[in-house]
Amino acid sequence: MLVASLGVVGAVSYVIVKSDNDHAIDESSRSIADGYASAINEWVAAKASMAAAAADGVLQADPVFVIKQLQKSGGFYVTTFGKEDKTAYTSAAEGLPAGYDPTGRSWYQQSVKAGKAVVTKPYTDVVTRKPMVSFTAQVKKDGVLQGVVAAAVFLDGVSNVVKAVHPTPASFAFLVDRDGMMLAHPDAQWINKPVKDWNSELTAERLNSLAGNNADHGASKEIVLNGAAKLVQAVAVKGTEWTLLVAIDKADVNAGMRHATQSSLIAIVLVAALAALILGLITTAVFRRLSQVRNAMDSIGSGDGDLTMRLPEDGKDEVSQIARSFNVFVQKITAILQEIRHTSDAVKVSSSEIASGNLDLSGRTEQQAGSLEETASAMEELTSTVRQNSDNARQANQLALAASAIAKEGGEVVGNVVATMEAINQSSRQIVDIIGVQYLFRNPV
């Protein structure tokens, strides 16, 4: 129970600390991203304000002088002023090629289309083959567009800011535009290439979603970059279509949490072991009397226990209650055994009487058995006599049957004699009648 309780406390503490840690990481990563984005914002704002200042003065002085000053003060690679009448001025020493039409250039058209100062999409310089962008500012007079000032700058400056982003050893930052092109990255080979070529998950839609999530002060999004889990915070760069993404290594920022968790686990194990030892000692001391009860029960259960033994009943705790119950139990057992003993004695006396009666009965039974043997012998003789009488009766019956047959034959003979006698009698009567008639004839009255 102690270990389980410590485990629950540790788990709850871990959940709470992890929640606070995750929140702190989100806040920290957002602060870091906002801080570095502020540096880029200042860089962009400085370049844009210089271009705007040149646009305000380009009609007031020599255009070439103004744009050359813009190049020098702003550290631009080249500056150009293109007019609606297709004339153009540049700070480049070699000048502009023949037939150069500024209104056909992408920086000019993007500014006109936007109707305001813009930072152009990145492109590669023809001479240096380096990625660059142009800060543009419209030149107007009485509200009418007169031309556009463009100040081209390499992305090295912003790349240096992005490369300096290392909140942890394995963390880094990269800069993208709204169309998903890489503007700055610690690895220069990915600059001015689609971001999805570097990581297939980072499509333009996903990048815009990250930027929108940061605008709503959402939590960091976990994305696998360069084979490691990163917590990505996105910050839109003001005045541009750029988004700065700060990828903070999850393992680095959670290192403290892991160490704290390991320390907590070790502390819980040590506390559990120490508490178990202390509780074991306390339990042994408190329940020593309970051990006496156990030993007494083992003694009784072995069959050789002393039923006169009684446990101390001092106190009102559970052990004392068990001791009283044990004493009552032993007393009951003693009473039952005594009663069994008395009953056994009575059974012994009764058994002796029954044994004596059985011996007497056995003698009489032997006598009766002798009489039964004599009776059996007489019965055998009687049976023999009965069997002889039966045979004689059977012979007599046969003789009777024979006599009956003879008598029957005699009856038939007698019947014949009777019939003969009746016939003789009838004849005698006839003779008498004849004689009487003759006498009458002889002696008439």
Side-chain angles (χ1 to χ4, degrees), residues 28-57:
S28 177
S29 62
R30 187 177 296 112
S31 299
I32 292 171
D34 289 340
Y36 285 106
S38 297
I40 298 175
N41 285 334
E42 292 176 1
W43 182 84
V44 171
K47 300 296 183 183
S49 63
M50 290 179 183
D56 291 339

Side-chain angles (χ1 to χ4, degrees), residues 61 66 77 169 266 282 286 291 293 298 303 339 381 388:
V66 173
Y77 171 65
I266 293 173
I282 295 174
V286 172
S291 299
V293 176
D298 290 340
E339 184 177 353
E381 293 177 358
Q388 292 178 357

Side-chain angles (χ1 to χ4, degrees), residues 37 40-49 110 114 116-121 133-136 178 183 235-243:
I40 298 175
N41 285 334
E42 292 176 1
W43 182 84
V44 171
K47 300 296 183 183
S49 63
Q110 289 180 43
K116 60 180 181 179
V118 297
V119 180
T120 65
K121 296 183 181 300
V133 294
S134 292
F135 288 84
T136 66
R178 184 174 62 184
L183 303 179
V235 182
V237 178
K238 296 178 181 179
T240 67
E241 296 179 350
W242 302 350
T243 300

Side-chain angles (χ1 to χ4, degrees), residues 393-414:
R394 188 180 298 108
Q395 294 177 359
N397 185 40
Q398 292 177 354
L399 294 175
L401 290 174
S404 176
I406 294 171
K408 185 178 181 180
E409 292 178 359
E412 292 178 356
V413 173
V414 171

Side-chain angles (χ1 to χ4, degrees), residues 63-64 67-68 71 77-83 85-105 107-108 123 125-127 134 148-152:
V64 176
I67 60 176
K68 284 186 177 181
Q71 179 190 19
Y77 171 65
V78 65
T79 55
T80 305
F81 172 40
K83 299 181 66 176
D85 60 7
K86 299 185 180 181
T87 58
Y89 306 92
T90 182
S91 62
E94 66 274 12
L96 296 172
Y100 182 83
D101 181 6
T103 60
R105 312 303 294 179
W107 51 265
Y108 194 99
Y123 58 92
D125 180 57
V126 177
V127 178
S134 292
V148 176
V149 172

